[in-house]
Amino acid sequence: MDDVENTPGPLFAPITINRLTLRNRLVLAPMAVLCPEADGRASDQTIAFLAARAQGGVGMIIASGCASQRCADEYGSPMLRFDIEAHVPRLKAVADAVHAHGVPIIAQLTTAFGRMGSPKSPRPLISASPRNIVIPQDALPKGLVVPGGLSLPQPQEASAEEIRELGQSCIAAALRAQRAGWDGVEIPAHGSYFLASFLSPWSNWRTDEYGGTPENRARIVTDLVRGIRAQAGPDFPIGLRISCDEPVDGGQSPAEFARIARLVVDAGADYVALLDGCSERLDRIFSAHDGGMVDSGAARVFKQSLPVPVLLQGLHDPAQATRAIADGHGDMVILGRPLLADPNWPRKVRDGLAGEIVVCNRDNHCLHRTMLNLPAQCPLNPEFGNESQQRSQASPLHRLLASSREQAVLKLSGSGRFMQLATKVMLRKKK
């Protein structure tokens, strides 16, 4: 890790998003590590995990959640649910716990997972067009072994009625988040999820009002942003998450993605968060190196094109994060894996103690466990996944049995032959 001067620097300058004034430029990324209850209700662990990152000094938290029953069906594991009115009190408890540390919290609302959805979903997977995801082995991130790569099932083309229904469910979820005291929402149109599939001609071959021109391809998101803005009011922050590049043969360029992002900003979005790559290149999204979108120049294309804050991904090193903001590549830095390894990363950098950071080794142990439907953990931070101490309160026998099962699954997942068989079983459609 590079040296960082003992001064706050640009990472700790305040910034405003709509009505929110953030105390610094560091943001907790939305991740599937919230451990909600089986019904999608926020658990004590959900609250404790997010409160620990707020206490660690981030300027803003973005938490992932479901905006529809279809989203919940397609994920296959519990996600925080914003589509159920009875969950509002627990969602309010989440917001209150984060606000106690002076940190705003944003709900990232997934309408549907689209071609990234679980093949075990009780309904057909839908996307802009029937293009499936194919990930070669050499495009998988470190720590994930699937010999021959991974090919997901082909989705169906979404109907206009399904598009409108999912849009309405997301607007309703946004209003539910607002009633629960959350500070804003983020629309995820990145990677290869449902909304993202519309934005690029590479995955959108439609000839109706949702295909063809950039305006038509952006329509599903611009309509959604306008719908939320009309009902939530002018002071409710709305963000967009979008890929900054599509590193596949025939994929869309940063300039073309930035044009789409500008259309969404003109529709009412208050910030744009960038993701490096698409799901066909998970090695780019979960990179083993810092600064991909900065080094390629993709981030600067967005910064020069947009009148709202731009959030950068893939900067684990505080010195590189500082330079990226100082040099005008973006305005804020999103931290995912680094805040699993060390929730106090922001506070340590602020206090000139960057040398004491527990540095993420990028081995993707957390991702590996999540993909195997095991509780999220980090070998560098034993407290992660147990912030509420729920795990420590389990009986010794229960802990021993759970640990034995997990170790067996993890050991088998390192076997190429086992992963080939497991992948075939996983992709076998439920009858």
Side-chain angles (χ1 to χ4, degrees), residues 54-99:
Q55 186 175 25
V58 293
M60 185 169 78
I61 283 175
I62 305 173
S64 59
C66 276
S68 71
Q69 178 65 52
R70 184 166 209 134
C71 165
D73 289 343
E74 289 181 352
Y75 187 62
S77 296
M79 281 189 72
L80 201 60
R81 299 283 294 273
F82 288 82
D83 60 317
I84 300 174
E85 188 66 27
H87 288 7
V88 168
R90 287 299 284 176
L91 291 172
K92 185 178 186 304
V94 173
D96 289 346
V98 171
H99 290 159

Side-chain angles (χ1 to χ4, degrees), residues 34-37 41-51 80 94 388:
L34 298 182
C35 297
E37 305 290 355
R41 194 183 308 263
S43 66
D44 290 346
Q45 173 58 26
T46 305
I47 295 171
F49 169 83
L50 293 171
L80 201 60
V94 173
S388 68

